[in-house]
Amino acid sequence: MAGFIGGVFSRDKGRMRTLQNIIVTGGAGFIGSNFIRFLFRNKDFKGMIVNVDKLTYAGNPLNLVDIEEVYGNKRYFFEKMDICNHAKIKELFKKYSVDGVVHFAAESHVDRSIFGPGDFINTNILGTFNLLEAAREVWKDRNDVLFHHVSTDEVFGSLGKDGFFYETTAYDPRSPYAASKASSDHLVNAYRHTYGLPCTVSNCSNNYGPYQFPEKMMPLMILNMMDEKRLPVYGDGKNIRDWLFVEDHCSAVWLILKKGSVGETYNIGGENEWQNIELVELMCEKMAQIKGKDKDYFKKLITFVKDRPGHDRRYAINCDKIKRDLGWRQEVGFDRGIDFTMHWYINNKEWVESIKSGDYRKWIELNYGGRERTSR
Ligand code: NAD
Ligand code: DAU
């Protein structure tokens, strides 16, 4: 088997892939919707996207109305579907002659995984298993296809003051979310190794940007500032995260689709570490500037609250490999990314209000009903 895998590697190396019919799972969520928009803006991409999403609380088709309007039922198809539904997923592979999968769909919020891990086990582990099985059954021994699995740096555990996560760092997941993602990464690598399924994996740090569900730290803080509500900082606020603008993550995934080597894992990160409290203070200052207030006006809203159980202290990614091997660079970066993001939430009142009021759920019910739905 090792020889066979070696064959896939060597045939694949240095070759530019042109995937045409791509399933994007979780495309109605934060990163998935940004990725689909990124692809349609990209002149290099000439293919078709099938967005497969169950529309959980985090999935919002409003994130892609502009794409639906221009490309809907031509180059963009939406399938309301649970990735755990084996028969339906397999059918989709055939129906759209799928040659690529970009797998974003997941339960993604660490706090929710602590209070209710069940959905995380189902979607993140069993859902990934199900997609892999469908790909293996339909693609058989094809090697002109690719299954790209989008994962997180949280699988590596927590760092002390120094050091970085490398692709070779041993897994040490510490929340149910991280454990479920680690499990799915292992399944993907096992399918590549055992069955020769052409797979790649990426492990990325904290993303921020437009369309992020406001349970996550950055949009939560922005929306709370706008409403002059308290800004809940967990524990002593000194936990460190590495922040990457979502479009810079999308461009990395796109490069992996085009020229990532089968069987490889790529770390993606912002090389941009912030203590939570320092980041929240920075956002307060930026909001004050935007709203014409005194520099410290919003800082009075900062409230230290009970810590997240098992709260990982520090994440930091070394992403030399994707820079060296695929030539990836951040195009937007932090200074522009954070300003853009703050203005986006301030200016996109309709989107913000539909989330806050829950009206986007009513819209989904009206347009998509409670049942699974297919585009054609
Ligand atoms: P998100 O929660 O915003 O979106 C997840 C999407 O998946 C939603 O549209 C949801 O409806 C869909 N989904 C959930 N369960 C499903 C199921 N059973 N079947 C079909 N669709 C389902 O998540 P996100 O922040 O966009 O993250 C996307 C992926 O990137 C996840 O795999 C996450 O682990 C990974 N990731 C996220 C970050 C980050 O900072 N947000 C960083 C690194 C990696
Ligand atoms: O590192 C990648 C991960 O980043 C992704 O895999 C996850 O899907 C994504 O949700 C994110 O996980 P975090 O737990 O790091 O993100 P979150 O926005 O929930 O929290 C960021 C930091 O801010 C974390 O240290 C906890 C803290 N925090 C969070 C919230 C929601 C607060 O202090 N207050 C808050 O209200």
Side-chain angles (χ1 to χ4, degrees):
M1 192 51 77
F4 169 66
I5 302 286
V8 172
F9 272 121
S10 55
R11 275 201 298 281
D12 187 67
K13 210 151 199 141
R15 193 189 66 185
M16 203 71 126
R17 233 177 255 113
T18 343
L19 303 174
Q20 287 298 323
N21 304 332
I22 304 177
I23 283 187
V24 174
T25 70
F30 163 49
I31 308 177
S33 61
N34 276 287
F35 181 70
I36 290 173
R37 181 167 292 100
F38 173 88
L39 279 194
F40 280 115
R41 273 204 209 123
N42 189 326
K43 289 195 180 65
D44 262 10
F45 175 68
K46 312 228 183 300
M48 169 189 101
I49 297 287
V50 185
N51 178 0
V52 178
D53 198 298
K54 182 181 168 183
L55 299 182
T56 66
Y57 78 94
N60 185 352
L62 288 177
N63 294 356
L64 285 170
V65 271
D66 51 333
I67 298 294
E68 179 101 48
E69 261 170 39
V70 180
Y71 300 103
N73 290 326
K74 293 189 277 259
R75 292 176 59 204
Y76 172 75
F77 300 88
F78 180 75
E79 299 279 357
K80 181 171 184 282
M81 195 171 290
D82 189 337
I83 54 166
C84 297
N85 185 332
H86 183 73
K88 287 271 173 63
I89 292 289
K90 196 172 162 187
E91 206 178 291
L92 279 193
F93 269 78
K94 293 182 181 157
K95 176 174 163 188
Y96 291 101
S97 306
V98 169
D99 57 6
V101 173
V102 187
H103 177 31
F104 289 102
E107 288 294 336
S108 68
H109 192 40
V110 175
D111 291 334
R112 284 181 190 257
S113 84
I114 293 167
F115 294 106
D119 286 345
F120 288 73
I121 306 304
N122 282 331
T123 290
N124 300 3
I125 306 179
L126 297 178
T128 303
F129 161 68
N130 188 43
L131 283 167
L132 288 166
E133 275 291 275
R136 180 169 81 91
E137 288 164 19
V138 177
W139 285 344
K140 298 208 167 64
D141 290 331
R142 279 179 68 179
N143 56 27
D144 58 337
V145 290
L146 187 74
F147 187 112
H148 179 66
H149 176 60
V150 178
S151 192
T152 170
D153 59 358
E154 301 205 5
V155 299
F156 298 121
S158 184
L159 291 164
K161 279 200 176 69
D162 306 313
F164 296 93
F165 297 136
Y166 294 85
E167 285 83 358
T168 49
T169 301
Y171 274 33
D172 181 23
R174 291 147 48 102
S175 71
Y177 163 70
S180 68
K181 292 297 291 186
S183 176
S184 62
D185 295 10
H186 288 321
L187 279 169
V188 173
N189 286 325
Y191 269 65
R192 193 263 311 158
H193 187 78
T194 309
Y195 304 115
L197 189 74
C199 300
T200 42
V201 175
S202 53
N203 295 89
C204 188
S205 62
N206 284 61
N207 283 216
Y208 67 94
Y211 303 103
Q212 187 166 30
F213 196 80
E215 62 187 351
K216 305 282 165 62
M217 197 269 256
M218 232 194 239
L220 176 89
M221 296 298 171
I222 299 172
L223 265 53
N224 281 11
M225 278 183 230
M226 284 158 63
D227 290 343
E228 304 218 1
K229 285 189 185 160
R230 67 175 197 154
L231 310 175
V233 174
Y234 296 167
D236 63 3
K238 293 191 175 154
N239 300 65
I240 293 176
R241 296 290 181 268
D242 169 41
W243 294 91
L244 178 68
F245 187 62
V246 64
E247 264 187 40
D248 287 329
H249 183 188
C250 294
S251 68
V253 171
W254 174 234
L255 272 182
I256 297 170
L257 289 191
K258 282 202 301 191
K259 51 184 188 174
S261 289
V262 164
E264 293 295 315
T265 285
Y266 297 93
N267 275 357
I268 307 167
E271 298 178 309
N272 176 41
E273 291 179 52
W274 285 87
Q275 276 191 355
N276 290 337
I277 184 65
E278 287 174 355
L279 182 55
V280 173
E281 283 178 353
L282 175 81
M283 291 162 73
C284 286
E285 286 175 18
K286 286 189 177 288
M287 184 63 84
Q289 201 179 19
I290 294 167
K291 297 281 182 194
K293 304 270 191 198
D294 174 73
K295 179 166 166 275
D296 293 330
Y297 181 84
F298 290 100
K299 290 185 190 164
K300 65 176 187 287
L301 299 172
I302 293 175
T303 313
F304 289 93
V305 298
K306 192 166 175 282
D307 208 354
R308 170 186 282 174
H311 196 176
D312 285 341
R313 196 63 173 168
R314 174 171 169 256
Y315 301 149
I317 277 268
N318 176 296
C319 51
D320 288 351
K321 178 175 167 180
I322 191 166
K323 293 202 289 189
R324 186 189 59 232
D325 290 1
L326 305 185
W328 175 71
R329 294 286 179 277
Q330 293 180 57
E331 269 169 34
V332 180
F334 186 69
D335 293 342
R336 279 169 60 208
I338 182 116
D339 284 345
F340 179 87
T341 302
M342 297 204 53
H343 281 102
W344 191 89
Y345 287 94
I346 292 167
N347 294 333
N348 283 274
K349 292 193 175 62
E350 218 177 302
W351 186 91
V352 167
E353 284 313 317
S354 77
I355 298 271
K356 285 203 304 203
S357 64
D359 277 357
Y360 79 107
R361 298 303 312 171
K362 290 182 204 149
W363 191 85
I364 289 172
E365 199 50 44
L366 204 69
N367 286 278
Y368 296 98
R371 287 166 290 108
E372 292 191 337
R373 164 247 198 215
T374 68
S375 316
R376 60 178 183 186

